[in-house]
Amino acid sequence: MSVLLGQIINELGGSLEGGSAEIEISRIAPLETAGPGELAFLNNPRYQSQLAASRAACVIVAPAMRDAALARGACIVTPDPYVYFARVTQLWKREHAAGKPHGVHPSAVVDPEATVDPTAFIGPLCVVERGARIGANTVLKARVNVGERCVIGERCIIHPGVVIGADGFGFAPSKGEWVKIEQLGAVRIGNDVEIGANTCIDRGALEDTVIEDSVKLDNLIQIAHNVHIGHHTAMAGCTAVAGSTKIGAHCIIAGAASIIGHLTIADNVHISTNTVVMRSIPRAGHYTGVFPFDDNANWEKNAATLRQLYKLRERVKALEQTIKNDG
């Protein structure tokens, strides 16, 4: 199956230059491997050399790359090629989908006291427990478990193996034993949220764990009880967030980051991969903390020294300048 370039332009806008609206596109492909009949995109100027050599039928480019793209053939010029590419993939899926799924798969188990919108889809082997609510046009793919009284909003995509509303990790120590703290809250998930495969979101101990609108969570993420994640925050795979931490809106948490409990992270914070966040972050910005492991006592001494390294550097520079001037 194919889509005409003119159809893409009519749906998504952009300026088609150097080619015909009647060109048929049979596939979306990477720039370096795209061939005749295929659509590619260039987002980073560093890959301009691939543009000149590309055999793609058409390439999506920014205005700054227009002339270079025209030198090789047809192009769609748009302010943000990466976002345009994303919207092309959505258009492609709509055009080639077998039909929008809805209803409850025969192998799924939905409690009679749960509420599932008629436009939602509950996939194979899913479990939706008592009092849970699933919003309009939300898709639960295979083996998703939605716990008692948990709420998922509209237009969400929940990938296979996700567990929403398992008990949070709560135990009180008593005379060498552990006394379970019953987790009496639930999980509330907003609209347009996407949750990757095998991610776990624990129910709250007393209040609910909250995932606001348009949050995007990757695979294999752990969200502990009573965490609150602000709208449009994105979190990459293998990240773990401990209990009662509040993460702001429009944050980006890179893969395998760890955030300890009871912290507050401001809006518009970017945390680098493998960073361990051990204190609250009150201001927007990009934060990184990758440090080799060691015996804990040595690690603490080195970490304390490392925090003073810049001041020490400036003192050494000042001392060198003084010696130079005295000489």
Side-chain angles (χ1 to χ4, degrees), residues 122-192:
I122 311 300
L125 303 175
C126 288
V127 175
V128 181
E129 296 183 6
R130 180 171 62 92
R133 301 201 307 271
I134 312 298
N137 297 298
T138 282
V139 174
L140 273 57
K141 299 195 175 181
R143 296 177 287 101
V144 173
N145 192 309
V146 181
E148 188 175 13
R149 295 181 289 103
C150 294
V151 177
I152 301 177
E154 300 178 357
R155 299 176 302 278
C156 296
I157 302 173
I158 315 297
H159 288 279
V162 168
V163 178
I164 296 169
D167 277 0
F169 193 67
F171 300 90
S174 174
K175 301 176 182 179
E177 297 182 348
W178 296 102
V179 179
K180 182 175 176 60
I181 301 170
E182 293 296 344
Q183 305 294 288
L184 305 179
V187 177
R188 288 187 287 120
I189 295 174
N191 301 328
D192 302 299

Side-chain angles (χ1 to χ4, degrees), residues 29-41:
L31 183 63
E32 65 272 25
T33 61
E38 297 179 342
L39 177 65
F41 78 99

Side-chain angles (χ1 to χ4, degrees), residues 72-89:
R72 58 148 302 279
C75 62
I76 296 174
V77 181
T78 181
D80 193 331
Y82 195 52
V83 171
Y84 197 97
F85 156 74
R87 299 198 186 285
V88 170
T89 64

Side-chain angles (χ1 to χ4, degrees), residues 36-326:
E38 297 179 342
L39 177 65
F41 78 99
L42 173 65
N43 186 51
N44 193 322
R46 289 185 300 176
Y47 300 112
Q48 185 173 345
S49 60
Q50 294 181 3
L51 175 64
S54 177
R55 298 169 59 241
C58 183
V59 180
I60 305 163
V61 296
M65 301 301 299
R66 171 185 176 275
D67 291 344
L70 278 175
R72 58 148 302 279
C75 62
I76 296 174
V77 181
T78 181
D80 193 331
Y82 195 52
V83 171
Y84 197 97
F85 156 74
R87 299 198 186 285
V88 170
T89 64
Q90 294 175 2
L91 170 62
W92 195 268
K93 187 164 185 177
R94 288 198 303 272
E95 291 293 319
H96 295 83
K100 187 176 180 181
H102 64 276
V104 178
H105 191 274
S107 65
V109 177
V110 178
D111 191 278
E113 295 184 36
T115 302
V116 177
D117 189 276
T119 62
F121 176 64
I122 311 300
L125 303 175
C126 288
V127 175
V128 181
E129 296 183 6
R130 180 171 62 92
R133 301 201 307 271
I134 312 298
N137 297 298
T138 282
V139 174
L140 273 57
K141 299 195 175 181
R143 296 177 287 101
V144 173
N145 192 309
V146 181
E148 188 175 13
R149 295 181 289 103
C150 294
V151 177
I152 301 177
E154 300 178 357
R155 299 176 302 278
C156 296
I157 302 173
I158 315 297
H159 288 279
V162 168
V163 178
I164 296 169
D167 277 0
F169 193 67
F171 300 90
S174 174
K175 301 176 182 179
E177 297 182 348
W178 296 102
V179 179
K180 182 175 176 60
I181 301 170
E182 293 296 344
Q183 305 294 288
L184 305 179
V187 177
R188 288 187 287 120
I189 295 174
N191 301 328
D192 302 299
V193 171
E194 185 158 351
I195 301 173
N198 295 317
T199 283
C200 295
I201 304 174
D202 291 345
R203 65 175 56 249
L206 298 175
E207 301 296 329
D208 294 343
T209 301
V210 177
I211 312 295
E212 293 188 6
D213 292 350
S214 295
V215 167
K216 312 300 180 187
L217 301 180
D218 197 2
N219 303 336
L220 295 166
I221 289 174
Q222 163 65 18
I223 305 297
H225 55 188
N226 299 105
V227 168
H228 190 125
I229 301 179
H231 60 88
H232 292 87
T233 282
M235 194 174 294
C238 296
T239 290
V241 183
S244 299
T245 283
K246 182 177 176 59
I247 298 174
H250 296 282
C251 293
I252 298 174
I253 316 294
S258 298
I259 303 174
I260 70 169
H262 300 272
L263 302 185
T264 299
I265 309 297
D267 296 346
N268 296 294
V269 165
H270 185 171
I271 296 172
S272 295
T273 185
N274 286 299
T275 295
V276 179
V277 180
M278 303 184 71
R279 66 180 188 273
S280 293
I281 301 177
R283 294 183 300 276
H286 191 167
Y287 296 83
T288 302
V290 180
F291 199 84
F293 82 96
D294 199 352
D295 171 80
N296 188 70
N298 289 336
W299 185 93
E300 288 181 347
K301 292 174 185 177
N302 289 332
T305 303
L306 186 64
R307 288 180 178 173
Q308 303 300 318
L309 193 58
Y310 181 78
K311 290 181 181 179
L312 179 61
R313 172 178 174 268
E314 293 303 301
R315 289 173 59 190
V316 169
K317 286 174 63 178
L319 181 60
E320 288 176 339
Q321 188 62 45
T322 299
I323 293 172
K324 182 179 180 181
N325 292 340
D326 289 347

